[in-house]
Amino acid sequence: MWRLLWRSIDRFSLQHFKSVITELRQIKVVNEQNRDTVVDLLQTIVEIVTYGDRQDPLIFECFMEYQVLAEFVRVLKISTSSTIEAPLLQYLSIMIQNMDSEHAIYYCLSNDYVNNIVAHPYNFNAGDLALYYVSFLRAVSSKISRDTLCLLVKVHGDVVVSFPMYTEALKFAQHEEKMIQTAIRALTLNIYNICDDNVYQFITTPPASIYFSDLVSSLRKQCLQLDALVNSSEDKCTHQRNKDIFLKTDKIVDDLFYFKDMLSVGESRLSRVVTQNLLSLLILPLLLPLLKLGENKGSYHISAVTSLYIVSRLLQVVGGKHLINGVAGLLLYHYMALCERDAIATNGDTAGSTGDASPLLHSLNDINIKVSGHEAEGEKEININYLLQHLNVQTSSNSHFDGSPRDDNVCIERFGIFAYLFSDNHSISLASLFLLLTLAENKDLEHFPASLLGMSQSQGLMNNCESAFLKVDGSILVRLMPQILKTLLKVLACQPPVSPPMQWHTGWFLRKVLQCQGNKLTDDNIHLFNTSYEQSRECLQKELDGCWFDHIPDTIGNEWGSCKKALELQFHVKDPLFTLELEICQQAIDGNFNSCFAWERMVDAVKVLILHLQLKALIFMGCLLEKPSLESPSDSDLGKTYSRDISSPSFGSEVSLGSGIPCRIAFSYAGVRDIYLVAVARGISGKLILAEKHPFRSQRGVVIAIAPLAGLSQPRIDEDHPTWLHLRIREFEPNFVKAKGSQSKVSTPPADGRWTLGFHSAKACETARLLILEETCKQRSSVESMLAPLLREDYLVNVLDSQGD
């Protein structure tokens, strides 16, 4: 034991360290024969140096005296095989990461050791060398400070002319390996947070600044790919397309958070170059089609709904005064310019105008917008001033604008994003409303008249809707609010009804608008809502004839809380991804019966009813409802009762055969078997039991199969064989979906089961069919009785009465 301990201590001794260094120096060439020996020497050196940095100062003094890092550089140069590079970089990364001494870090970064290792001509085409190389760069970046950064750059006078670690790292910025991309972004942020003026000047001027335009160009390419997914004409199931869209938007949002992190550094030159690239290469080209200039100058062939999503998400995640005010200035330029012109015409000056767009557009000065031309032309640039001239020409072509959509819809359609706000495409309408509210809610909005979007600079629109949103005359959103409200109600009252997700997101917007309106509706609007409410009740009542009616009460209880939470979701945390999902959720579901799709339809119907109950409570009571208490029918209300073994059977258990009907069934694995069919309903529970006669007890049977009574669909007698009864059994297990979350969808649902039972006569077959229908009807009646209070017209009155008690 003592010998082992002594060897361990001796391994980290200064004498042993010197001998290892001497052995490494004797290596004249590194090849396949001595590679393993060299790797062991490098590993030993790193272990001893890491130990010495914390425990023995003499070891690190020896490390500096013998210039061991120079030996690492020499090993790279004398190697005839690239197999030494990966372990060498790995051990260097470990050593640097574990250094705590500022003195040790300063030494490692000096004398161009790191720059020489960085600049070595590696072969990255094979293996994981790129990952080790980038990890080494990241490890170094995590240790540099304002005091040591100068050791890694080369200057001429006061000008930085070279920064090898940074420029070499950027070559991997678009690497296909996610871990490498993440490491490079961490490295750049480490550098941006400790740069001095000279290094910032190097980073934000060409050729180094090309990195930022390449980043935005890559993001723009991803946006094009996203739009292709949204508008794909391929016969792809909604679930798969939703999954693909989610993965693509997840990558886009990752990029947006990276831009946000760069802006959060707070350095003006860095913020300027990032913002200008985002505006010129992405945001403005996306906005130009939304301005409806008559020419498709800025189009990257991205649909309106995708453009609206990207701009909304970018403003949510990245934000910033320049971006917010630039987007607001362009989108509302028409309105602001017309209001200013009308005020001049009326008052002779701008004192009564709503505002001037110039301050808002100040951040766009001298920006060239890169847009796509014809294939032969490639990409071209449009100066922002040229764009504003076109906007002024279009504004001048409109003789008057009174801001009242009820009086002049044609006028509204001329005003860019407001035409999309009242589009017949519901997803585009909601997407444009979301973008406008994103602007109105943003605290970075400045140089903006408080009345323009109906908000106070000190109060967010969605946080306190009773503020200036209603009280200030002249607000564009206030003027449009009656039409916005009616548009939302019309979506809910559509015939045939729009998809459940569309209804839910429309309901979310409607709640926000109702809060801003003081929950007040005109008679026409109340009629629209009542129409929509009746449709939601009818949809749920249809589900009482479906194969999942027995789960409706539980589903109401399970979904109520999550639905209420979703309805109360704050504006700033709502993901506009829903606008893209709505574009593809209208795909027709296969008309063939499937219990999985039927389950999803039933859950959607429940959620839509909950939505309407909550909106109705908000309109007439001014608040949302808590989860209702649904009472099950008592045993005395059930009429006929059954023994416990019948009402709650399990596979292999014994049941009474008193009400059973003898029949036969063929199993692929067990041949034909004589069995009894037992159908029983107790309250909202119902089972169809197949049991074999007990070998010793004539009135008892052993359960061999169980099926839910509600899931049998319609039992059908075979046309050619009147003694055969066909049953369709639901095989889908809803608990699987509940475990994954109420929003989960099953991409490949299990096929429904099929049973065919044979009876000794056609009369017995018909008797069995009628028994199943009778017991199913009893079960359905119990469910209907349980739901009746919730579906009554006076439900809210009863809720108020119960609260009064």
Side-chain angles (χ1 to χ4, degrees), residues 280-347:
S280 65
L281 295 176
L282 181 65
I283 298 177
L284 297 183
L286 289 175
L287 290 180
L288 292 188
L290 302 181
L291 297 176
K292 297 202 167 205
L293 295 177
E295 300 178 56
N296 207 14
K297 295 182 180 297
S299 173
Y300 277 105
H301 309 293
I302 292 184
S303 63
V305 69
T306 307
S307 296
L308 290 165
Y309 162 76
I310 294 167
V311 176
S312 296
R313 200 69 175 111
L314 189 146
L315 296 182
Q316 270 190 335
V317 174
V318 181
K321 292 181 179 179
H322 292 298
L323 293 180
I324 293 292
N325 290 283
V327 170
L330 272 179
L331 288 180
L332 303 175
Y333 185 86
H334 286 299
Y335 176 79
M336 298 173 72
L338 280 172
C339 288
E340 182 182 11
R341 189 191 68 188
D342 290 348
I344 293 174
T346 303
N347 305 317

Side-chain angles (χ1 to χ4, degrees), residues 759-775:
F759 296 84
H760 65 83
S761 68
K763 182 178 180 181
C765 186
E766 176 65 13
T767 300
R769 188 183 74 86
L770 293 176
L771 175 63
I772 292 173
L773 293 177
E774 179 185 357
E775 294 299 315

